[in-house]
Amino acid sequence: MILALKIVLLLASIILIISILLQSSNSAGLSGSIGGGAEQLFGKKRSSGYDAILGKIATVTAILFIVISIIMVAVE
């Protein structure tokens, strides 16, 4: 059982890393924080396409990663 949990944990961590790295960035660095701060609060919704899917994948795999990690600590 521990081996199966370790394999699922490894797969979840790899998927989590890939899904986070493939997401587009939210700011343009220092100039984005100075000039576009209000735009992030009031404008620009996240697109409902590629970034939204990657965001959902990252959320699900992060929850899976945390739950499996807690189960593995509790079992051992």
Side-chain angles (χ1 to χ4, degrees), residues 19-29 40 44 46 51 54:
S19 65
I20 289 174
L21 288 176
L22 288 177
Q23 290 180 5
S24 61
S25 65
N26 291 334
S27 66
Q40 284 183 346
K44 273 194 177 181
R46 285 180 65 183
D51 283 335
L54 286 174

Side-chain angles (χ1 to χ4, degrees), residues 2-76:
I2 296 294
L3 180 63
L5 286 175
K6 286 182 181 180
I7 291 171
V8 173
L9 185 66
L10 177 67
L11 291 174
S13 62
I14 290 171
I15 293 170
L16 180 63
I17 291 169
I18 291 172
S19 65
I20 289 174
L21 288 176
L22 288 177
Q23 290 180 5
S24 61
S25 65
N26 291 334
S27 66
L30 185 60
S31 64
S33 65
I34 294 171
E39 186 176 295
Q40 284 183 346
L41 290 175
F42 303 112
K44 273 194 177 181
K45 291 183 180 178
R46 285 180 65 183
S47 65
S48 61
Y50 188 66
D51 283 335
I53 293 171
L54 286 174
K56 290 176 186 175
I57 291 172
T59 302
V60 169
T61 53
I63 292 170
L64 183 67
F65 181 83
I66 291 170
V67 168
I68 291 174
S69 298
I70 292 172
I71 291 171
M72 285 183 59
V73 168
V75 169
E76 288 184 5

